[in-house]
Amino acid sequence: MANLKEIRNRIASVSSTMQITSAMKMVSAAKLKKAQDAITAMRPYSDKLSELLQSLSASLDADSGSKFADNRDVKKVLIVAITSNRGLCGAFNTNIIKQSALLAKETYAGKQVDFVAIGKKANDILKKKNKVIANHSAVYDDLTFDNVAAIAEELMDLFTTGAYDKIEIVYNKFKNAATQIVMTEQFLPIVPVEGEANSAADYIFEPSKAEIVEQLIPKSLKTQLYKGVRDSFASEHGARMTAMHKATDNATDLRNQLKLTYNKARQAAITGEILEIVGGAEALNN
């Protein structure tokens, strides 16, 4: 009977775990809807702003280029790794950390590579073997454009002052609840689109085209980073919802197997007791 008690305890434990994972799945599903609506509404604006900026930048003379488009010899690289503050979301954080480490090890081998972490998981893991110059995990406590824009301004200052020659962003792009795409985007310097120099030739600009670009670039960069953080935020809840759904299914299967094992063991125990009683009765009769 001790074996039966052990199985009962395991069934209770698995049932408790199943309730927790099921509750976490529902919470993530509720948060995902809001995060998904936010990133879906933002993408058209962000894409159009980037398209406009790239079109204008491509039509400028080389001498009138922005300080944010300064292509220097790349010696120092900064990688912005965007993860979550919490786990239990499958390979969501692991994929970003692997991609960031791969960039540092292969793409920028032989160069000075430092990191900025947006998310506690990135900071906790990357700082073990790399230099993390800043950790902005608190941004998720109040995820607004102004808070992310402050981070973007810090990155812009690091580039314009020459502290870093190139800045890359690594994040999960939200596709759907079950699919997140690891993205690597060049944040700075800005790379104008080739072959679009005449796309804005029929427009009259007031003030000058160069002045418009100078005003649009900081706003575009802030929007680009905010979109990346928003994408990652929606992806996190999608990944967690999927992970908790799978965990709930696995817990259900395990509980059913344990119940089957318990019933078999209980039947065997009852059969054994009956056989003992019958054997005892026959011995008395003899």
Side-chain angles (χ1 to χ4, degrees), residues 212-231:
I212 293 175
V213 169
E214 284 298 321
Q215 293 179 15
L216 277 180
I217 285 178
K219 185 172 184 178
S220 176
L221 290 172
K222 293 174 184 178
T223 303
Q224 180 185 357
L225 183 61
Y226 184 59
K227 180 176 72 71
V229 175
R230 270 290 176 190
D231 251 317

Side-chain angles (χ1 to χ4, degrees), residues 256-277:
N256 292 338
Q257 291 176 5
L258 287 171
K259 283 185 175 180
L260 182 60
T261 302
Y262 175 80
N263 289 333
K264 288 181 178 180
R266 185 166 176 270
Q267 289 173 357
I270 293 173
T271 301
E273 291 176 358
I274 292 174
L275 290 175
E276 289 178 3
I277 294 173

Side-chain angles (χ1 to χ4, degrees), residues 275-286:
L275 290 175
E276 289 178 3
I277 294 173
V278 171
E282 291 181 354
L284 290 175
N285 293 331
N286 296 329

Side-chain angles (χ1 to χ4, degrees), residues 14-78:
V14 171
S15 297
S16 177
T17 301
M18 187 176 66
Q19 290 177 350
I20 294 172
T21 56
S22 180
M24 291 181 67
K25 172 190 170 183
M26 289 188 291
V27 170
S28 292
K31 291 182 178 180
L32 172 63
K33 181 63 171 65
K34 184 177 179 181
Q36 183 177 354
D37 290 343
I39 189 59
T40 303
M42 181 183 178
R43 275 179 183 165
Y45 170 78
S46 175
D47 294 342
K48 196 64 180 178
L49 181 61
S50 297
E51 178 185 336
L52 175 62
L53 178 62
Q54 290 171 341
S55 177
L56 290 172
S57 299
S59 63
L60 291 175
D61 297 331
D63 295 337
S64 60
S66 167
K67 60 184 178 179
F68 297 111
D70 183 14
N71 284 288
R72 304 186 288 260
D73 183 24
V74 178
K75 296 180 180 178
K76 295 176 288 185
V77 181
L78 184 64

Side-chain angles (χ1 to χ4, degrees), residues 66-77 111 155-167 186 188-190:
S66 167
K67 60 184 178 179
F68 297 111
D70 183 14
N71 284 288
R72 304 186 288 260
D73 183 24
V74 178
K75 296 180 180 178
K76 295 176 288 185
V77 181
K111 306 182 187 301
L155 297 176
M156 287 185 274
D157 289 340
L158 289 171
F159 178 78
T160 55
T161 57
Y164 294 95
D165 304 310
K166 193 173 185 180
I167 300 179
Q186 182 169 315
L188 286 167
I190 293 173

